[in-house]
Structure formats: structure tokens, C-alpha cells
Amino acid sequence: MRAQRRPWPGDDHGRPRHRVRVAGLTIDPMTEGEVVDHVVGALKRGEGGHLVTPNMDIAWTAAHDPGARELVERADLSIADGMPLVWAARLLGTPLPARVAGADLIWSLSEAAAFYRHPVYLLGGPPGVARQAADRLVRRHPALVVAGTQAPPYGFDTDPGGHDEIREALVAAAPRLVFVGLGFPKQERLIARLRDDLPGTWFVGCGSAIAFAAGATPRAPVWMRGAGLEWLFRLVHEPGRLARRYLRHDLPFTLRLLGSCLLRRLFS
């Protein structure tokens, strides 16, 4: 395993100097390896944080909901999980080095956590899916310590005691890295409420990454991810759930974004 061949340097003490503004959001121009190094370095210093991975659905929601936009802007790291954001940044002359998907980070961050023996916690998905994802992560990285898994019931966020149950379980488990896969902005709102209770823990808002890691939801082929067509793959597999989101909201928003960035590029 890579974690056995080399330790992560973990010497990143702050954000990248030059952050990128695209689709109304501030993005950190980092590769996947740099993100892992940053989180590992912070954990070594006993510092927690919040990593958010904006894609076009998050960008659309943030554009229409100031509260959601603030959740993204307040995160310690904001990493582009969406090829249109990478393309838009390139058109604006402020390129991002790569797309960094939450579905990839759950594996690379778990690899680093296994190397340094940082306990992880998986929070989200239907009943049993987080446990299944944890089992698959451990099979790949046997040294990984899984402090716990949890699938919050539907409506937990409106139940006065729902957050308390999650908080109590997390504090008792004392993880250093928590993957929260509840969808945006629900997962970021929950993270905002939990951070003070675990100041030395990193929270990763990872959307469907837990379901992908579990194998419960199929992931698009690599070529479709690189071509920015992962949304189409998911739409074909889950049309009832995703048609309105992708076709009515995200696709028009993406076309407007790229069109406006192209015009700025041509006439600037």
C-alpha cells in the first residue's frame, strides 16, 4: 500500500496563497494529494477543520440560498468536485489544478488515516450502507481504525433530539476524521453544529461518497468523470430522484456559467 511506502509530509500550515473565485464561490486550487497533506498536517497539530467539495449542484444551491453559500465560504477547505468548475476557472484565467472528487477523497484520506492511526467515522447513507463502506475501506487498508458508523433517520434534522443523539455518539467515539454523507446543505449544517464539540477533528462533507465506497451506488466510468459526464451516468441510473435537479437546475446553471466565463475571456 502507498501508505506503507511513504508518509505524507503534513507540513501545510495554511490555505493556498491564491484562491480562485468561480460560480460565486471561493475554491482552493489544490490537487488530491495536496488536500490529503493539508488535512494530515492539521491533524498532526491537533487542529480540526471542515472540508467542503462544491459541484454544480452545490454551486446552484449556494447561488440561490445565501445561508448555503455562507456554509461553503466558512469551510476551511473548499475543493472543486465538478468538472464545469474546473473549466470555468480555466476560462477566467485562474485555473484549478484538477477536479478533486469527494468519492476519491474518502479513499485517499482513509489511506492516510490508516497510516497515522487516526480513527475515522462514517455518518450518512441508508441503514447499513456506512457499515458496508467501512468494511470495504478496511479491506483495502487493514490498519484503518473505524471509530463508528451511523445512519441518521429521516427527519433527524427537524427532531429536537436528533442532533443530540449524533453528537453524543461522535463525542463518545472521538474520531479524528468524520465523513458526513447527507447531501448539501444538510451535511454542512450538521457539521457546523458539531465542530465545537470535536475541535481536533476534520469533517468532510462528502455527499454520495459513502454510498459509492460501499458499492451501494454505481460510479461512472473514469472517462465519463473526466469528460464532465458523471451527472449523465447518475441521471440514467436514478432518473426519478435526479431528473429535476440535473435538468431543471444544474444543467441550465452550468451552461450559463460557462457561457458567461467564455464571454469574459473573449472580451477581456
Side-chain angles (χ1 to χ4, degrees), residues 34-263:
E34 289 169 340
V35 173
V36 174
D37 288 347
H38 182 102
V39 173
V40 166
L43 288 173
K44 284 183 176 180
R45 299 189 298 274
E47 300 170 1
H50 174 199
L51 192 161
V52 64
T53 55
N55 54 20
M56 293 313 299
D57 188 55
I58 290 177
W60 182 90
T61 303
H64 294 81
D65 181 347
R69 183 173 63 251
E70 183 180 0
L71 289 169
V72 177
E73 295 296 285
R74 288 173 54 191
D76 298 278
L77 282 183
S78 179
I79 308 298
D81 181 357
M83 283 305 300
L85 293 175
V86 176
W87 297 332
R90 190 178 303 158
L91 287 170
L92 293 172
T94 54
L96 296 167
R99 174 200 180 203
V100 181
D104 295 323
L105 280 172
I106 194 171
W107 293 99
S108 53
L109 284 170
S110 292
E111 182 181 7
F115 184 90
Y116 287 107
R117 305 296 290 177
H118 291 315
V120 305
Y121 196 102
L122 279 71
L123 177 61
V129 169
R131 183 67 259 172
Q132 186 177 347
D135 291 342
R136 294 186 71 184
L137 289 168
V138 170
R139 282 200 297 270
R140 182 176 296 186
H141 308 297
L144 182 66
V145 177
V146 178
T149 65
Q150 189 176 171
Y154 180 79
F156 80 92
D157 50 324
T158 58
D159 179 354
H163 289 96
D164 293 336
E165 293 179 8
I166 294 172
R167 178 182 290 107
E168 290 170 7
L170 274 175
V171 171
R176 300 299 308 284
L177 186 63
V178 181
F179 297 102
V180 187
L182 298 170
F184 181 87
K186 185 184 296 185
Q187 63 195 19
E188 270 64 38
R189 291 186 180 128
L190 177 60
I191 289 169
R193 297 184 65 162
L194 295 173
R195 285 192 61 183
D196 287 344
D197 297 287
L198 294 164
T201 296
W202 268 83
F203 292 85
V204 182
C206 62
S208 298
I210 293 175
F212 287 138
T217 299
R219 197 172 177 204
V222 173
W223 72 266
M224 293 190 79
R225 301 177 216 166
L229 294 174
E230 191 164 9
W231 66 272
L232 181 58
F233 180 88
R234 296 192 64 190
L235 177 61
V236 169
H237 283 80
E238 300 180 83
R241 186 173 74 88
L242 298 176
R244 175 184 174 89
R245 179 198 304 180
Y246 285 166
L247 299 180
R248 184 172 178 179
H249 296 156
D250 295 357
L251 184 58
F253 181 77
T254 299
L255 294 175
R256 288 195 300 270
L257 171 66
L258 294 176
S260 64
C261 291
L262 178 60
L263 290 174

